[in-house]
Amino acid sequence: MADRIQRALDGELPIDTLTPTEREALQRHRAIIGIALEPIRGLPVIDVAPAVMRRVAPRPGVVHRARLAVAAGAAARWLWAPRALTLRPAYAMAGALAFAAVLSIANVRSAPSAPAVATAPAARARVLVQFRLGDAQAHDVALVGDFNGWHARHRLHQVDPGVWSVDVALEPGVYHYVFVVDGKAWRLDPLAPRVTDGFGGASSRVSVLAPEARS
Amino acid sequence: MTDLLHGDFAALVRSHQNALYRYGRGLGLDHDTALDLVQEAFIKAHERRDQCRDGANARAWLFRIYRNAMLDWARNVRRTEVSLLDVEEPPHDDDFAERHALREAIGAALASLSPLLREAFLLRHELGHSYEEIAALSDVTVSAAKMRVARAHAALRETLDPDYGNVTSAGGRSS
């Protein structure tokens, strides 16, 4: 009988083929399974998705740098690869004449001017940006983002009870960041735009304008 | 699979995380350890997402990763009270503290089963695995997987329903 009960439990044997005694045994068997599994079915429901997604999501800055590196590598390979060129001599001669003409015109135009002076590009002015977070429970708040390689180099100071602040000098640009509370909890800036990373994670965004653009 | 993981890995986590957690708790892990290992398993899965080409096999693939994570953990910390899957027999009776902790964690009836029988029983009746899936996960044949589940049933009957054997084929019970 045990084998038939087992097959009925596995769905291999239709219940209506069982004898009344076998059906009673099947019911008892199901009750045994239910009792044995009761502690497991009473376990709490968990959700590790936010924690997992934070750990596997690429940092926005890292993604941008990786894409730039790939593009730069492709360009370098294209420039460096040897190629065979075919050229009609008549076209080459015409091209050389055109180049010489452009050069002579440029010389004539630049003659009266003063000697060229090499000038270094002006350093981009940095803008002091203040980041603030209100959290009365926090003991330690750090700021991580594109501007510090997502390392907790910038610590916020408690300027008032529960009010954390830090000033960071940033060049004009767009940056993604989050606050790290007590070394583990990632917090978005409630006052800044939220940016999702496509993996269920998110960060805050700040746009720093050049001083002249803001006037 | 790669597209699924890139496009909606969070949905994959949410679909399977509680099954993995119950699997770990059923084998005797405490809440924190089971939770940590679920996270670790998904992070490994993300790192190795190219290894799983077929989305339909994602569950079996995730269970395999989680099972390996549990075994690594058990080997590293040498937690004999959990014993997980290394030992065929349940803990000895004189190891009262270990036995008591395990019973408290997962219930006396399940704790009375040896780890391998408990695993097969959980996979079959709590997590809805087929015998083929149990066999693949446990590296045994399908008939061995069936045998483990049947032995688990028999052991649980003895623990929870000692009168079961008295049911006669005639429809009554022997006195």
Side-chain angles (χ1 to χ4, degrees):
Chain A
M1 186 176 73
D3 181 56
R4 285 173 56 79
I5 301 300
Q6 186 68 49
R7 289 175 58 203
L9 272 175
D10 290 338
E12 296 172 359
L13 198 63
I15 294 175
D16 53 15
T17 63
L18 300 179
T19 66
T21 304
E22 287 173 336
R23 286 187 197 183
E24 184 194 341
L26 180 66
Q27 291 303 322
R28 292 174 71 122
H29 222 120
R30 284 178 171 158
I32 288 168
I33 292 171
I35 292 168
L37 290 175
E38 202 174 317
I40 302 300
R41 290 173 180 168
L43 290 171
V45 173
I46 62 162
D47 186 10
V48 299
V52 170
M53 299 319 296
R54 271 198 299 274
R55 287 179 63 183
V56 303
R59 305 280 180 263
V62 173
V63 173
H64 294 157
R65 280 195 292 280
R67 285 177 180 161
L68 281 174
V70 170
R77 281 192 297 277
W78 185 84
L79 288 170
W80 191 247
R83 293 165 204 284
L85 291 177
T86 56
L87 194 64
R88 293 177 192 274
Y91 288 171
M93 194 174 293
L97 286 172
F99 180 71
V102 169
L103 208 59
S104 63
I105 291 170
N107 283 338
V108 168
R109 286 193 176 173
S110 63
S113 65
V117 178
T119 55
R124 299 183 74 190
R126 290 190 166 207
V127 178
L128 210 55
V129 180
Q130 187 175 71
F131 294 87
R132 290 172 80 91
L133 179 71
D135 191 333
Q137 310 299 323
H139 298 97
D140 173 67
V141 181
L143 175 69
V144 298
D146 295 338
F147 39 78
N148 60 15
W150 295 86
H151 294 298
R153 295 195 190 108
H154 294 101
R155 299 276 171 189
L156 279 73
H157 308 287
Q158 196 164 196
V159 292
D160 280 313
V163 179
W164 300 79
S165 175
V166 67
D167 296 332
V168 182
L170 297 176
E171 291 184 355
V174 178
Y175 301 94
H176 297 90
Y177 65 98
V178 294
F179 297 110
V180 182
V181 177
D182 295 335
K184 53 186 178 184
W186 283 41
R187 288 273 302 278
L188 297 179
D189 188 338
L191 302 176
R194 171 195 173 101
V195 182
T196 57
D197 54 20
F199 284 86
S203 55
S204 299
R205 185 182 66 202
V206 61
S207 302
V208 180
L209 301 179
E212 60 272 18
R214 294 189 294 178
S215 58
Chain B
M1 182 65 193
T2 302
D3 290 339
L4 169 66
L5 286 168
H6 279 299
D8 206 354
F9 190 75
L12 186 82
V13 175
R14 291 197 171 96
S15 295
H16 298 286
Q17 57 183 353
N18 278 289
L20 296 178
Y21 171 75
R22 294 203 306 277
Y23 178 35
R25 292 298 306 275
L27 290 179
L29 296 180
D30 60 58
H31 169 79
D32 290 338
T33 306
L35 206 62
D36 287 348
L37 292 181
V38 169
Q39 286 193 41
E40 187 186 318
F42 279 114
I43 288 162
K44 280 185 182 166
H46 188 268
E47 289 169 357
R48 306 170 187 171
R49 57 192 179 276
D50 290 340
Q51 293 177 5
C52 187
R53 302 285 177 197
D54 182 1
N57 285 332
R59 185 176 75 150
W61 177 64
L62 288 169
F63 268 81
R64 165 73 67 174
I65 293 173
Y66 187 62
R67 190 179 196 265
N68 287 340
M70 285 194 291
L71 292 176
D72 287 345
W73 174 86
R75 275 193 284 271
N76 287 339
V77 298
R78 299 181 186 285
R79 292 282 294 272
T80 53
E81 72 269 30
V82 173
S83 70
L84 285 173
L85 309 167
D86 294 335
V87 186
E88 178 76 32
E89 296 303 320
H92 297 298
D93 283 335
D94 56 354
D95 235 343
F96 178 77
E98 292 178 359
R99 203 169 167 76
H100 178 71
L102 191 60
R103 284 175 183 276
E104 199 171 66
I106 64 174
L110 273 184
S112 69
L113 299 177
S114 71
L116 293 176
L117 298 192
R118 194 186 318 142
E119 181 191 37
F121 180 79
L122 279 171
L123 291 170
R124 178 69 186 154
H125 290 297
E126 175 60 18
L127 302 167
H129 281 53
S130 66
Y131 287 118
E132 287 76 14
E133 289 173 320
I134 297 170
L137 181 63
S138 310
D139 289 323
V140 295
T141 62
V142 173
S143 58
K146 283 187 177 181
M147 182 60 70
R148 285 180 181 180
V149 174
R151 284 175 58 197
H153 285 170
L156 288 172
R157 269 201 322 264
E158 285 182 17
T159 303
L160 296 173
D161 192 7
D163 288 341
Y164 179 91
N166 295 332
V167 177
T168 66
S169 58
R173 293 185 192 174
S174 62
S175 57

